[in-house]
Amino acid sequence: MEAIAPEVKQRVEELRQLVQKASYAYYVLDDPIMEDSVYDKLYRELQQLETQYPELITPDSPTQRVGEKPATQFSSVRHNVPLYSLENAFNIDELKTWQERWKRHALKEVESAEYVCELKIDGSALALTYENGVLVRGATRGDGITGEDITQNVRTIRSIPLRLNVENPPSRVEVRGEAFLPLEVFRQINQERRDAGEQLFANPRNAAAGTLRQLDSRIVAQRRLDFFAYTLHIPGMDDASIARTQWDALELLQNMGFRVNPNRKLCPTLQEVAAYYEYWDTERLNLSYLTDGVVVKINLFALQEQLGFTQKFPRWAIALKYPAQEAPTRVENIAVNVGRTGALTPLAEMRPVELAGTTVSRATLHNSDRVAQLDIRVGDTVIVRKAGEIIPEVVRVLTELRPADAKPFQMPTHCPVCSQPVVRPEGEAVTRCVNASCPAILKGAIEHWVSRDAMDITGMGEKLVQQLVNRELVHSVADLYDLNPTQLQALERMGKKSAEKLLQAIAHSKTQPWSRVLYGLGIRHVGSVNAQTLTQHFPTVEKLAIATPADIAAVYGIGAEIAQSVYQWFRIPANQALIERLQAAELQLAQKDITPVTEVKTSISGKTFVITGTLPTLKRDEAKALIQNAGGKVTESVSKKTDYVVIGEAAGSKLEKAQQLNITCLSEAEFLELLS
C-alpha cells in the first residue's frame, strides 16, 4: 500500500478542524464564522480526500456526522415534519447526474418531468405551525428534527400572516420558508452598530440568524426581517386534494397570505432549468436580497412521493449553487503596492485558490485601517472573496488557526519604491507617497494614459512602461511623444518593426478626442463617463482650466468633490506645463466641432429611471444611452425619487418595489413612445 504523504494527513486534519468549528458555530452557537459556499468547498475537499484515502476516515470526522445539536438558549421543540437539507450541485453536469439518479429510483420509467425553480435565499429556515388558521408556533430549523421555539419573534415579521387568509382553513398547516434581511436593512443595521461601537455582522445571513434569536422581540421588530414561503404540509390530508404540484402549492401559499418569491419559474425541461440558472448568475446582483443558488424541485407531488428521501436529502430536489464567491486560503506574505496617485495599498499574497471561476493569489487589504481591523498576519488562514465580482479582497481572518509566531503587520513609514517618507493626510484612510518623481507613480500614470479607455496605445504594455521609466526615457506622459526609433530599439524584445508599430500607435493616439485626453490625465475622481460629461460642457481645455468649482459643479452629474479635484489639478504649475507640452505635441485638447452646449428640454429631462429585466429588443446599455441622451438619469435601485421603471422579462423585485411605491412602470414600447 502506498504511503500517504504527510501534507495530505495535515490537510485532512486542518479541514476537519475548520469544518467542525464552522458546524459548531452555525448549529449550536447560531453565530456562523463562514459563508455556506466556503463551508461547502471545505466539506467537499474533505470528502474527496477521505474517498481517495479511506484509511484516513475517523469516527469523529464531520463527514460521518448526520446532524448537530440545536442551540439551548430557547426551548427546544420537535418538528412535526422534519426539515431536510438539500443535496448540492455546483454545475449543470452535476444537475444532469442528479436527474439520471432520480430517474433510476422512480417506480416506473419516466421520460421527462417538469421542474420548479426558485432562488435559494441566503437567510434562516423557519417552520411555522398554524392551527385552525392561526399561527401558534414558529421554530428555527435546528438540526432538522429539533429546533428552537421563537414564536414571539416570528410574530414580528410582517410578511408572515398571523392568521391564514382563507375561509375554513385546515385544522393544522405546516409552512416552511426562509427569513432574511433585505440588503438595505442589513447595511442600515451595520451602520447603527458601527456608530455604537458594536461588532458588525459579517453578512445578512448572520444578521438574520442573530436577529431571530434575540430575547427581546422589540429588537426583532425594529430590524424588519422579511420572509418567503416555499412549501407547506397539511397532516391527515391528501396533498392532491388541494395541490397536485409544487407550483400549485406556491400559488396556494400566496393565496393564504404569504410572500412567495416572484422570480420562481416552471421549467418543462432541464435545459430551461439551466437557462434560468445562467440568467440569475448575473441578474441576482440586482436583487434586494442575497441568493447563492437555485433550488430545483420536481413539480409533481405524486412523483416526489415515489422518490422519497435518502438519510439526509429528498431525492426529488437539489440546490444548484453558483460558483463560490468566497473561499479559504493562507496568507504567505503581505506586500505594499504604490499606485499612480501615490496611494500605498497593502496586498495579501496567498496560496492560490479558485474563486468565482478564476485562480486568485493576491487580494487587496485596502489601507492601514482595514489591516488593523482584520488584524491580518502572515501565516493566517483567511476568507477571501471578489468585491463587486472583480477585485479579490480578504473578508475576515480565522484567528483560531493562527500560527503562534505570527507578528502584526505594520505599514511602512517610507515608500517601498522611492524610499521617501510617506504621509497620511488628516481625515483620510490612505497612506500616500507624495514624491512626484516616484517611479511607481510615474509608471501608474503612464499605464493609465495608454490604457484602452484613455489613449489606447497598442503595444505599450506594463513591462515596456517599466523599462521606459527605469531607463529614465520618460518622466511624464508628454515624453512618450518625443520617443525615437533608436531609443525604442535599445529596449529588451524591441526590434525595428516593433518600434515602428509602437511609434505609429503613439502617433495615432494624437487623434483621440478631448474626452479621452481628459480621462487619461488621471485627475482624481474623473472617470471616463465624467470626462465625457465635462468635455461636453467645457469643449476646450482653456475653458475647463479657468472654470471655478461652482462652474464645474453646476454640470448635471458632477458633484462638488469632482469639481474641487478638477479645479485643484489645473492650479498646479507642473500640470499646467504638461498641458502646454501636450498642446505642442498636437493632441486633441478641444472638440473638433465645437457647438454651444444648450439644455434641450424633453419629456424626460431631469427624470430618474431604473431598468430591470430583459427588454425585447434593446440591450440595457442601449436603453441607458437613450435616457441619458434625452436628459434623463439612470440609477440601479428603486426609491421614492424614481420617476419611471422600465420593465422587461423577469423584472423581479424592482418591479415589486415600484408597484409598492406607485411608480410608473413602462414596457419597452411605452418607453420608446415616451422618448418620441
Side-chain angles (χ1 to χ4, degrees), residues 7 54 73 98 108 117 188 221 302 311 357 427 444 461 467 478 485 495-496 507 530 536 546 548 586 613 648:
E7 55 265 28
Q73 284 184 284
W98 167 75
K108 58 182 180 179
C117 290
Q188 180 182 337
Q311 285 188 346
Q467 287 190 70
K496 182 178 180 181
N530 290 334
Q536 287 173 1
I546 64 172
T548 66
E586 300 182 346

Side-chain angles (χ1 to χ4, degrees), residues 15-290:
L15 287 167
R16 283 186 187 140
Q17 289 183 30
L18 282 168
V19 172
Q20 185 58 43
K21 287 179 182 293
S23 185
Y24 177 81
Y26 179 87
Y27 288 106
V28 180
L29 302 180
D30 207 357
D31 185 22
I33 61 174
M34 63 179 66
E35 299 298 334
D36 280 1
S37 58
V38 176
Y39 180 92
D40 291 337
K41 184 178 180 67
L42 295 170
Y43 191 93
R44 283 167 69 90
E45 184 182 352
L46 179 58
Q47 276 185 320
Q48 289 167 358
L49 287 173
E50 289 183 344
T51 300
Q52 186 176 357
Y53 304 101
E55 57 268 45
L56 293 181
I57 298 176
T58 60
D60 63 345
S61 173
T63 61
Q64 307 303 301
R65 187 190 296 276
V66 176
E68 301 282 352
K69 295 180 181 179
T72 56
Q73 284 184 284
F74 289 83
S75 60
S76 296
V77 292
R78 190 174 183 84
H79 295 302
N80 298 313
V81 179
L83 277 77
Y84 282 85
S85 299
L86 291 176
E87 182 182 1
N88 291 326
F90 292 86
N91 53 57
I92 301 302
D93 287 339
E94 291 186 5
L95 181 68
K96 291 177 181 177
T97 301
W98 167 75
Q99 178 178 254
E100 293 167 1
R101 189 165 59 247
W102 74 250
K103 283 185 176 182
R104 291 196 299 269
H105 282 90
L107 297 180
K108 58 182 180 179
E109 186 173 343
V110 180
E111 286 296 326
S112 62
E114 287 184 326
Y115 299 99
V116 174
C117 290
E118 302 166 64
L119 295 178
K120 187 176 182 297
I121 308 304
D122 199 14
S124 291
L126 293 181
L128 310 177
T129 303
Y130 289 79
E131 292 181 356
N132 299 317
V134 177
L135 176 67
V136 296
R137 192 177 80 182
T140 63
R141 180 185 182 279
D143 63 0
I145 303 299
T146 304
E148 301 85 55
D149 189 338
I150 56 168
T151 306
Q152 196 65 22
N153 288 344
V154 167
R155 291 179 185 276
T156 69
I157 303 175
R158 294 184 177 272
S159 49
I160 294 179
L162 299 180
R163 180 183 293 272
L164 298 180
N165 187 32
V166 290
E167 294 183 6
N168 303 316
S171 59
R172 180 186 288 268
V173 177
E174 299 284 337
V175 175
R176 303 289 187 264
E178 199 83 4
F180 64 95
L181 273 177
L183 290 173
E184 183 178 353
V185 177
F186 168 70
R187 296 187 187 104
Q188 180 182 337
I189 291 172
N190 259 357
Q191 183 59 53
E192 292 171 354
R193 294 175 72 86
R194 184 180 292 108
D195 294 343
E198 298 174 351
Q199 183 178 355
L200 303 186
F201 286 119
N203 49 60
R205 168 75 171 277
N206 189 345
T211 298
L212 287 169
R213 300 185 73 257
Q214 284 285 334
L215 297 177
D216 187 346
S217 60
R218 291 173 297 182
I219 296 177
V220 183
Q222 292 170 0
R223 291 187 179 172
R224 293 178 288 160
L225 283 165
D226 209 340
F227 180 82
F228 281 139
Y230 52 68
T231 193
L232 81 165
H233 302 275
I234 301 180
M237 289 185 64
D238 179 9
D239 283 340
S241 67
I242 57 169
R244 293 180 56 253
T245 66
Q246 169 67 12
W247 193 260
D248 292 342
L250 292 173
E251 295 292 321
L252 179 58
L253 283 165
Q254 199 162 23
N255 293 335
M256 285 180 168
F258 291 94
R259 285 194 71 198
V260 177
N261 196 302
N263 299 307
R264 63 192 183 278
K265 186 175 183 179
L266 183 61
C267 298
T269 66
L270 208 65
Q271 288 75 19
E272 290 202 29
V273 172
Y276 177 92
Y277 171 75
E278 290 167 2
Y279 172 80
W280 283 106
D281 189 15
T282 54
E283 191 62 20
R284 63 194 171 110
L285 301 177
N286 295 320
L287 294 171
S288 60
Y289 50 84
L290 289 183

Side-chain angles (χ1 to χ4, degrees), residues 301-314:
F301 282 158
L303 184 52
Q304 289 187 14
E305 186 175 357
Q306 278 187 40
L307 296 173
F309 299 80
T310 67
Q311 285 188 346
K312 292 185 178 181
F313 313 120

Side-chain angles (χ1 to χ4, degrees), residues 377 401-407:
R377 308 180 186 186
L401 299 178
R402 170 173 289 163
D405 58 348
K407 297 179 180 179

